[in-house]
């Protein structure tokens, strides 16, 4: 009976350890593949667009953004894979030390991703809008977004309260009484709807999937 319980417990521990190991390896490979995929997409954007695999017009326009991939970003993913594999190969006797090693590798991977990968993703996903906010921030204007949520305009646009000390409601910024210029940003997939609903806005230009407008009344 004792051997049976002991054996069952031991088998349970082995199964749990195997599940945990499998989960860690799966997540390691997944994150590494994401890094490889981002670099490939950034450096082969023209091929991806011409392939016809991407149907979304906003995503296509995003991929036309200028990036500065060095071609070595994939090493971030390689570092993660080698680090986790090394922890399992060279630290066999101490489970605690192995987990600490994997944790350290993961933290280094996250910091490397923030340093080398995230800025490139930002250029693809929203840099055109951020540039617009920065350029117009000197005018002390209001910014509104249409059919997508963002708080970037509040920071990069340096939006200030009105003279009354209050921020105008979205409705007022669209068509009410205002004391500052009002700019609007929408995605290219929402351009026709915005133009139809807000005829008091003039289209300025579009870039990398974003369309920029200025209120004219």
């Amino acid at each position: 009976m004792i051997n049976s319980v002991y054996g069952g417990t031991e088998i349970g521990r082995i199964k749990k350890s195997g599940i945990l190991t499998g989960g860690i390896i799966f997540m390691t490979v997944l994150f590494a593949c994401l890094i490889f995929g981002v670099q490939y997409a950034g450096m082969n954007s023209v091929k991806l667009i011409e392939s016809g695999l991407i149907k979304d017009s906003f995503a296509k326009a995003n991929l036309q953004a200028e990036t500065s991939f060095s071609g070595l970003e994939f090493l971030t993913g390689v570092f993660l894979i080698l680090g986790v594999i090394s922890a399992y190969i060279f630290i066999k006797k101490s489970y605690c030390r192995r987990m600490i090693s994997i944790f350290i590798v993961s933290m280094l991977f996250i910091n490397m991703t923030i340093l080398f990968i995230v800025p490139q993703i930002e250029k693809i996903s929203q840099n055109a809008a951020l540039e617009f906010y920065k350029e117009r921030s000197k005018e002390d204007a209001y910014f509104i977004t249409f059919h997508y949520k963002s708080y970037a305009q509040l920071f990069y646009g340096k939006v200030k309260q009105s003279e009354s000390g209050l921020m105008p409601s979205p409705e007022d910024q669209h068509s009410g009484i205002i004391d500052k210029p009002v700019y609007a940003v929408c995605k290219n997939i929402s351009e026709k709807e915005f133009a139809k609903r807000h005829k008091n806005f003039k289209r300025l230009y579009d870039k990398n999937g974003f369309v920029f407008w200025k209120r004219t009344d």
Side-chain angles (χ1 to χ4, degrees):
M1 182 69 177
I2 294 176
N3 290 335
S4 176
V5 173
Y6 178 79
T9 303
E10 194 66 26
I11 291 173
R13 288 177 181 174
I14 292 173
K15 286 183 177 179
K16 289 180 180 179
S17 177
I19 292 172
L20 179 61
T21 299
I24 291 174
I25 293 175
F26 172 78
M27 295 302 296
T28 297
V29 173
L30 176 63
F31 282 116
C33 286
L34 287 174
I35 297 298
F36 301 153
V38 168
Q39 180 183 318
Y40 179 84
M43 298 185 70
N44 298 275
S45 56
V46 176
K47 290 182 180 179
L48 284 174
I49 293 171
E50 294 178 348
S51 70
L53 294 173
I54 301 175
K55 307 299 181 182
D56 186 89
S57 58
F58 179 68
K60 287 182 180 179
N62 279 171
L63 286 173
Q64 294 174 8
E66 292 185 7
T67 57
S68 55
F69 283 97
S70 66
L72 299 176
E73 287 78 13
F74 76 95
L75 293 176
T76 304
V78 172
F79 168 79
L80 177 63
I81 292 175
L82 293 180
V84 172
I85 291 176
S86 297
Y88 277 99
I89 292 177
F90 298 110
I91 308 176
K92 295 181 178 180
K93 295 183 179 181
S94 175
Y95 176 83
C96 183
R97 287 177 59 191
R98 182 193 298 166
M99 290 298 104
I100 291 174
S101 298
I102 292 175
F103 175 78
I104 293 173
V105 169
S106 300
M107 290 300 100
L108 290 173
F109 167 75
I110 290 172
N111 281 278
M112 291 168 67
T113 301
I114 292 173
L115 185 61
F116 300 114
I117 308 299
V118 171
Q120 303 304 325
I121 295 176
E122 184 180 90
K123 289 179 182 179
I124 295 173
S125 64
Q126 62 175 342
N127 193 57
L130 299 185
E131 287 180 348
F132 179 80
Y133 297 140
K134 291 175 183 177
E135 290 173 0
R136 307 291 169 165
S137 65
K138 302 173 184 178
E139 298 184 32
D140 186 20
Y142 296 124
F143 299 92
I144 53 178
T145 59
F146 181 75
H147 278 192
Y148 81 98
K149 293 185 179 295
S150 175
Y151 297 99
Q153 69 274 15
L154 300 177
F155 178 77
Y156 292 98
K158 300 179 181 179
V159 178
K160 301 180 180 64
Q161 295 177 334
S162 65
E163 294 178 356
S164 64
L166 301 173
M167 187 71 71
S169 67
E171 291 76 15
D172 285 338
Q173 292 182 50
H174 277 109
S175 57
I177 298 175
I178 52 173
D179 57 345
K180 300 177 185 180
V182 178
Y183 292 97
V185 181
C186 71
K187 296 180 180 180
N188 57 4
I189 54 178
S190 304
E191 178 180 358
K192 291 182 179 179
E193 185 178 352
F194 182 89
K196 182 179 180 180
R197 292 177 58 177
H198 303 290
K199 299 184 182 299
N200 58 331
F201 279 78
K202 175 184 178 183
R203 188 183 193 279
L204 300 178
Y205 67 93
D206 67 275
K207 185 177 181 181
N208 300 145
F210 291 96
V211 185
F212 305 98
W213 312 77
K214 182 177 182 180
R215 184 172 164 178
T216 56
D217 61 349

